[in-house]
Amino acid sequence: MKKMNTMASLLLLSAAVLLTSTTNAAPSSSSRIYYNDTLGEGSTHDLTTDINHNIVVSSGVTLTLTSDATITAPSSVDNGESAIRIEDAIFVGVNGTIRGGANFGGVGVTLTTTRNSNTPATALFDTAIRVYGGDASRNETTQGGDAIQILQSGSVATFLGGQIVAGKGCNKEICGVVDGYALKVIQGRAVIKGGVFQGEFYNLQGSIQIYGCVTFHDKDDENDDGRSRIKGVLSDGSVINVVYVGDDEPEIIYDELVCPPPDATEAAASASDTSSSVGRATASLVPARSIASLGLFSVILLNVIMPVWL
C-alpha cells in the first residue's frame, strides 16, 4: 500500500498542471501555474474558472480560455511578468479576460518560441476575448504593460476580434503618460483580421499583417500628427486608428468584402458618368421631339379645319 501511495504522488507531481505556489501573500515568481506535457503527446486543457496567478503553457500543450473566465496576474515585482506565457505551445482565446499584473505593468500575453521547436508558439484571439496590459503605480515613473508581445521568430498571433488594451503608465503625479503597447512584435508575426485595439503598435524585426480596407500613413504625411498611423476598417468591420512604431511598414492585405476592389469602384464611377451623359442627352432631345410633334399637329389642323371654312 505504501508503494502505491508513492506512485500516486509521483503521478500528481508530473501532471500537466503544476501549481508551485498558491499563496496570495507578497507576489513572487513562484506564483505560477504550469501547463506542460513531458510525454510530448500534445495534451489540451480548458480554462473555465477565474485564476489569480501567472500561467505558463509549454511543451506542445493547447490551452483554451472559455466560459468568460478571468486570468489576473499578481502585481508584478519585475517588469514584464505575463498573465499568460506561451512557450512552444498553443493558446486559443475564445471567451474571457486576461489582465497583466499591476505595479510595474505586467504583460497580458507573451508568445515565445525556442530554436528548433516542434510547436512554435501560436495564439488565436477570438471575438469575445479581452486582453489588458497591467497598469503601473504612481510611486515612480513606470511604463504600463503591453497587452500582447511576440518575442521570437516562428511565433504567430492571429486576431479575429476581441479587445486589446495597453496598460496605463504613470509618473509620480499622473497616469497615462508612459503607456505600454497594445501589440509589440520583437520577432515573429501578428495577423490582424479583427478586433478593437487601444494603444500603439511596435514592430522591431517582425511582421504585422493587417486585413481589411486599411491604409498606412507615414509619419511624414502632412495630414497626420507627425507619427505613423494605421487607419481604416478591419475585415470584421472594426475601425482601426493606431500609432505604428517601426522601420518596416506593416503589410496591408486588401479585403474586398470590406471595401470594393479598385476596378469595381472605377467601373461604377464610369457607369455613373455614362448614365449622367445619357440623361443629359435625353433631356436635350425632349424639347426637339415636342416641337416636332407640335408642328405635325398644326399641319393636321390646317388640313382638316381649313376646307370647312372654305
Side-chain angles (χ1 to χ4, degrees):
M1 179 65 70
K2 185 175 181 180
K3 184 175 181 181
M4 290 181 66
N5 289 337
T6 302
M7 290 297 294
S9 300
L10 290 174
L11 287 173
L12 287 174
L13 288 174
S14 61
V17 181
L18 173 60
L19 180 58
T20 59
S21 174
T22 59
T23 179
N24 289 322
S28 67
S29 60
S30 62
S31 298
R32 295 174 180 168
I33 298 177
Y34 289 85
Y35 289 84
N36 53 48
D37 192 347
T38 56
L39 300 178
E41 295 178 353
S43 60
T44 61
H45 302 270
D46 292 338
L47 280 179
T48 58
T49 58
D50 297 347
I51 295 177
N52 295 316
H53 294 280
N54 303 103
I55 294 176
V56 179
V57 189
S58 62
S59 306
V61 167
T62 297
L63 181 68
T64 302
L65 179 62
T66 61
S67 303
D68 205 23
T70 298
I71 310 302
T72 304
S75 297
S76 303
V77 294
D78 58 355
N79 196 13
E81 189 77 11
S82 303
I84 298 181
R85 186 177 181 88
I86 311 299
E87 299 179 353
D88 302 331
I90 299 170
F91 173 73
V92 180
V94 176
N95 187 328
T97 302
I98 302 167
R99 297 184 181 275
N103 288 351
F104 267 76
V107 178
V109 178
T110 294
L111 278 73
T112 176
T113 301
T114 59
R115 183 174 297 180
N116 300 323
S117 170
N118 292 326
T119 308
T122 304
L124 177 68
F125 299 92
D126 214 335
T127 55
I129 201 74
R130 299 166 296 278
V131 183
Y132 300 89
D135 293 334
S137 66
R138 294 188 179 184
N139 297 330
E140 56 185 280
T141 300
T142 308
Q143 182 172 339
D146 304 324
I148 310 287
Q149 67 174 356
I150 305 172
L151 297 183
Q152 274 84 29
S153 178
S155 304
V156 179
T158 301
F159 301 86
L160 302 181
Q163 188 173 12
I164 313 298
V165 183
K168 295 294 184 183
C170 300
N171 59 24
K172 293 182 179 180
E173 289 77 29
I174 59 173
C175 288
V177 290
V178 230
D179 294 346
Y181 293 102
L183 174 63
K184 178 192 285 183
V185 181
I186 303 302
Q187 291 182 325
R189 180 162 54 100
V191 180
I192 300 172
K193 298 184 177 181
V196 176
F197 294 86
Q198 298 178 32
E200 301 179 1
F201 286 5
Y202 176 82
N203 180 22
L204 182 62
Q205 296 178 336
S207 162
I208 297 180
Q209 298 176 341
I210 305 173
Y211 288 74
C213 189
V214 178
T215 56
F216 175 69
H217 297 254
D218 189 79
K219 60 185 178 181
D220 296 326
D221 190 337
E222 295 180 357
N223 297 322
D224 231 313
D225 56 2
R227 307 190 70 186
S228 298
R229 282 186 176 272
I230 300 167
K231 297 181 179 181
V233 179
L234 300 175
S235 291
D236 73 335
S238 299
V239 174
I240 185 170
N241 183 356
V242 300
V243 169
Y244 178 86
V245 181
D247 293 331
D248 295 331
E249 294 186 5
E251 181 182 355
I252 307 297
I253 294 91
Y254 186 79
D255 187 348
E256 63 181 13
L257 296 178
V258 181
C259 52
D263 293 343
T265 304
E266 293 172 3
S270 177
S272 177
D273 292 341
T274 302
S275 176
S276 299
S277 300
V278 170
R280 288 192 297 270
T282 302
S284 65
L285 289 175
V286 169
R289 288 199 299 268
S290 300
I291 292 171
S293 299
L294 182 58
L296 179 60
F297 181 69
S298 301
V299 172
I300 293 173
L301 283 176
L302 290 174
N303 290 334
V304 173
I305 297 175
M306 288 299 291
V308 174
W309 287 352
L310 295 175

